[in-house]
Amino acid sequence: MRHGRRRGTPRPPAPKTIPATAPPGTQPTSSDLTEPDTAGGDVTPDDVTPDDVAPQGGATGGGETGRGETGGGGSSLGRSSAVMAAGTAVSRGLGLVRNMLLVGAVGATGLAADAFDVANKIPNIFFAILAGGVLNAVLVPQIVRAYTQRNPEERIGKLLTLAMTFILAITVLLTLGSSIIIPLYAGDSWSDPQLALAITFGYWCIPQLMFYGLYTLLGQVLNARRQFGPFMWAPVVNNLVSIAGFAVFIAIYGPAATGQVDDLSAWDGPKIALLAGTATAGIALQALVLFVPLYRGGFRWRVAFGFRGIGLRSAGQVAGWTFGAVLLEQLGVLMITRIAAAAPGTALSQGFGPFADAAGSSALITGVVAASPEAYVVAGPAAYSQALMIYLLPHSLVTVSIATALFTGMSAAANARDTAAVRADLSRGLRVIAVFTIFATAVLIVLAHPVTKLLVPTGSPASIVAISQVLVAMSIGLFPLGGMVLMKWVYYAYEDGRSVFLIQFLGTVLLLAAAYGATAVLDARWWVVGIAGAMSLSNILVIILRAAGLRKRLDGLDGARVLRLLVRVLVASLVASGAGWLALQPFGDLYGLSWTRALLVAGCAGLVMLAVYLLLLRIMHVRELDDLARPLMAKIRPGR
């Protein structure tokens, strides 16, 4: 039984629902649901589908929905859920294939891999800023509200025209400024040929920004019209295009494993265009394909300029604070990208001294590195991105499903000023997420090497080691990440963007201080590992501060119950980790293991860990295990 607000407790202000971001299917961008990109802030991973975000206002709001409305019956909802779940699953699988071919084409470490990673990250970074400051906080809510007003398509036509004109102008400016922006993120440690390659990649990749914006806006129109399936399936198109293009690249130029990928003189115009053009073509088609279901549903986008009657004046202070928080996150992205970009070159200088920069020594150094890669291959931006992809899989596949299931109840309780109900839902969400993510942390730490090989099968043995080391440090922040998401929803439900901004400021300060501290005390080959550790520390600080703030607002957080659950789950995970480590010993040295051996190792040790963990949870009567299974089973068997 839920009790109402305690007598004497100050009544919170009536909240408004803040719509979450709808990130563009396959690249890291801003989101109000999935938090970190490369800096540990409130941004999202590579290969995120629309299923990774909170329900949009159009999905739940009433009013006129247009001819695309599917109705509200249970069977219709079940069919829609099945279509969305299928699209998510297919996109996930194809995304892994896409990533495998990308790594096969340029590698996960090295000059070309880092150059492409930085260039391809730029449109995602700037989309995060646009999404946090303009799209999600201002335009997306107006798209949802338009369908409750007269002449909805006229209003939406003006909104889309205004938004896309603005995004197109920004995209053109950024593309033309590639020679300024890329060096800003790459730092001053890259050679002229590597920097020139990255800048050229940028001319091809930065136009993705326009299509990210188009995808998000059209997706919100589809959601408002209750046409949910296409938004989930569109990223499949992106992945198919990328898979085809990267496969052609490997067929023509050979895989990265041949050792020729870092011969920067071989990167001519057609080679660059095929790799980077493929990435941009996939994003473009992902957006453009959404016109088909919109047209078939009866929607016509009529280009119309004008501010009148589209409701932009209603954007509140939350939008400004949200935008400020996103800017802080992207400042963190900028600074740690520069550190990661400098790591390989600095490590080479530390290893070879002045000889590293001597004229004529390049070929000899390349030969030494090729002969002993385990000693000289160093994680850079590309390796960090690969580790981030693996780290975010548990969060995006499971944690987001649980959080989404709780979102409607928490929003309704907040709007009704039912503080006790919000507190109960938040407590339940934290406990259920902890059951999964703490164990997932144990798995990613103990089985980092075989899991990395499973998910990045085309990586070289040395790059698999480099990625797995980053993954271990990053995984410590997995549970704080899930808690951060739920708590930020509560802040936004009460229109408290200011607290989110101030806490994010402190988190960013700790992130940068710890990251730069790592460069002062660690060898360069460990800098990216240090960045991952700094991100975990930042996540821990943010969840502590957010919890402290919500404890006052909600008159407690059910802290004793949450703490008891955390202790039991932590004990079970530590014991399972020990069992997993013992199960690894018969397999011996894992360096250079094949994909099939990685599957065997991860399968055997993972099953041992899972069995021990589940047994201990049952013995300790952890009932949240059932709560964890319920939304997952509902996703597997929608409508039942």
Side-chain angles (χ1 to χ4, degrees):
M1 177 178 180
R2 285 175 174 166
H3 301 285
R5 183 174 53 92
R6 292 185 181 181
R7 185 171 299 174
T9 301
R11 181 181 294 273
K16 297 179 182 178
T17 301
I18 305 299
T21 313
T26 59
Q27 299 294 334
T29 65
S30 175
S31 172
D32 289 330
L33 180 64
T34 49
E35 300 237 357
D37 180 19
T38 55
D42 298 338
V43 289
T44 63
D46 194 11
D47 198 35
V48 174
T49 67
D51 191 45
D52 293 341
V53 298
Q56 304 299 312
T60 58
E64 182 182 353
T65 56
R67 282 174 282 180
E69 185 171 349
T70 60
S75 60
S76 176
L77 179 60
R79 286 192 298 271
S80 296
S81 298
V83 169
M84 290 187 289
T88 299
V90 172
S91 181
R92 294 288 180 201
L94 292 176
L96 291 174
V97 176
R98 171 191 179 278
N99 186 71
M100 176 186 72
L101 289 171
L102 175 60
V103 174
V106 298
T109 56
L111 304 179
D114 289 343
F116 180 76
D117 183 82
V118 169
N120 201 43
K121 191 179 294 178
I122 298 300
N124 304 296
I125 290 170
F126 282 92
F127 179 79
I129 296 172
L130 286 177
V134 179
L135 298 184
N136 297 319
V138 180
L139 294 175
V140 168
Q142 299 308 322
I143 290 175
V144 173
R145 294 187 185 113
Y147 276 106
T148 66
Q149 309 292 326
R150 291 185 301 172
N151 303 321
E153 290 196 4
E154 179 183 345
R155 291 170 177 265
I156 290 176
K158 289 182 178 180
L159 284 167
L160 293 180
T161 302
L162 174 64
M164 289 310 303
T165 301
F166 176 71
I167 294 173
L168 176 61
I170 295 295
T171 301
V172 171
L173 288 175
L174 292 176
T175 302
L176 294 176
S178 178
S179 60
I180 299 173
I181 295 169
I182 297 295
L184 183 66
Y185 283 83
D188 54 7
S189 64
W190 284 10
S191 65
D192 290 340
Q194 185 182 14
L195 189 59
L197 177 61
I199 291 171
T200 309
F201 278 143
Y203 287 125
W204 284 93
C205 292
I206 292 176
Q208 294 172 19
L209 174 62
M210 180 180 68
F211 297 107
Y212 282 156
L214 181 63
Y215 171 78
T216 297
L217 292 168
L218 295 182
Q220 292 305 321
V221 176
L222 285 164
N223 280 352
R225 296 170 59 82
R226 304 187 68 82
Q227 294 176 257
F228 303 121
F231 196 31
M232 298 297 187
W233 279 90
V236 171
V237 177
N238 178 7
N239 287 325
L240 288 174
V241 171
S242 297
I243 288 170
F246 296 155
V248 170
F249 182 94
I250 293 173
I252 295 176
Y253 297 105
T258 61
Q260 304 301 313
V261 69
D262 283 339
D263 179 5
L264 300 185
S265 63
W267 283 88
D268 54 14
K271 188 174 183 179
I272 294 171
L274 180 55
L275 183 72
T278 291
T280 299
I283 301 298
L285 288 176
Q286 172 181 283
L288 295 174
V289 75
L290 294 183
F291 280 109
V292 176
L294 281 171
Y295 187 88
R296 293 179 65 183
F299 176 80
R300 300 293 185 270
W301 176 5
R302 294 176 175 84
V303 175
F305 292 92
F307 293 89
R308 197 164 197 173
I310 58 178
L312 294 184
R313 292 180 180 177
S314 63
Q317 292 183 344
V318 174
W321 289 115
T322 302
F323 185 48
V326 172
L327 287 177
L328 281 175
E329 295 155 12
Q330 298 313 314
L331 174 62
V333 171
L334 167 63
M335 302 311 295
I336 68 169
T337 299
R338 289 174 63 91
I339 296 173
T346 304
L348 206 63
S349 297
Q350 290 176 347
F352 290 93
F355 186 66
D357 300 320
S361 64
S362 176
L364 179 59
I365 292 176
T366 300
V368 173
V369 171
S372 221
E374 65 279 0
Y376 295 104
V377 169
V378 175
Y384 189 92
S385 294
Q386 294 297 321
L388 187 72
M389 176 200 71
I390 301 171
Y391 159 73
L392 285 168
L393 277 176
H395 176 78
S396 59
L397 289 174
V398 176
T399 304
V400 170
S401 300
I402 297 166
T404 301
L406 292 172
F407 175 76
T408 302
M410 284 201 301
S411 295
N415 277 286
R417 300 187 180 94
D418 189 348
T419 303
V422 176
R423 181 172 61 246
D425 282 341
L426 179 58
S427 169
R428 181 187 173 207
L430 290 173
R431 287 180 283 112
V432 174
I433 287 173
V435 170
F436 175 75
T437 54
I438 293 178
F439 175 68
T441 297
V443 171
L444 292 179
I445 290 175
V446 175
L447 304 180
H449 194 137
V451 166
T452 300
K453 180 62 180 180
L454 277 177
L455 297 178
V456 193
T458 49
S460 67
S463 67
I464 294 299
V465 171
I467 295 168
S468 63
Q469 290 168 343
V470 177
L471 178 61
V472 168
M474 197 178 286
S475 298
I476 298 170
L478 190 56
F479 168 66
L481 169 62
M484 289 160 60
V485 167
L486 287 175
M487 291 178 183
K488 186 166 71 171
W489 274 0
V490 178
Y491 278 107
Y492 280 159
Y494 291 107
E495 293 192 301
D496 187 5
R498 179 176 179 272
S499 293
V500 173
F501 172 83
L502 294 176
I503 292 172
Q504 185 60 49
F505 174 79
L506 295 175
T508 302
V509 169
L510 176 60
L511 169 71
L512 296 180
Y516 277 98
T519 65
V521 301
L522 299 175
D523 289 339
R525 64 175 299 145
W526 297 106
W527 282 4
V528 177
V529 176
I531 291 171
M535 188 184 78
S536 293
L537 289 176
S538 177
N539 286 356
I540 292 169
L541 175 65
V542 169
I543 192 175
I544 290 173
L545 294 178
R546 286 184 183 175
L550 289 178
R551 185 172 181 272
K552 296 179 181 179
R553 179 180 292 276
L554 301 179
D555 194 21
L557 289 178
D558 197 13
R561 190 177 181 189
V562 173
L563 184 60
R564 286 196 301 270
L565 183 279
L566 290 176
V567 171
R568 285 180 289 170
V569 169
L570 184 59
V571 169
S573 297
L574 289 173
V575 175
S577 298
W581 181 82
L582 290 174
L584 283 178
Q585 302 315 300
F587 293 100
D589 185 11
L590 298 180
Y591 184 82
L593 81 170
S594 65
W595 188 87
T596 53
R597 188 171 176 229
L599 178 62
L600 176 64
V601 172
C604 291
L607 286 175
V608 168
M609 292 182 70
L610 180 61
V612 171
Y613 183 67
L614 294 178
L615 176 62
L616 290 174
L617 291 188
R618 289 298 181 189
I619 291 173
M620 292 186 286
H621 304 290
V622 176
R623 294 184 179 88
E624 287 79 5
L625 182 63
D626 296 329
D627 290 333
L628 171 63
R630 195 174 298 116
L632 299 182
M633 294 306 297
K635 197 170 185 178
I636 294 172
R637 299 183 294 178
R640 294 191 180 182

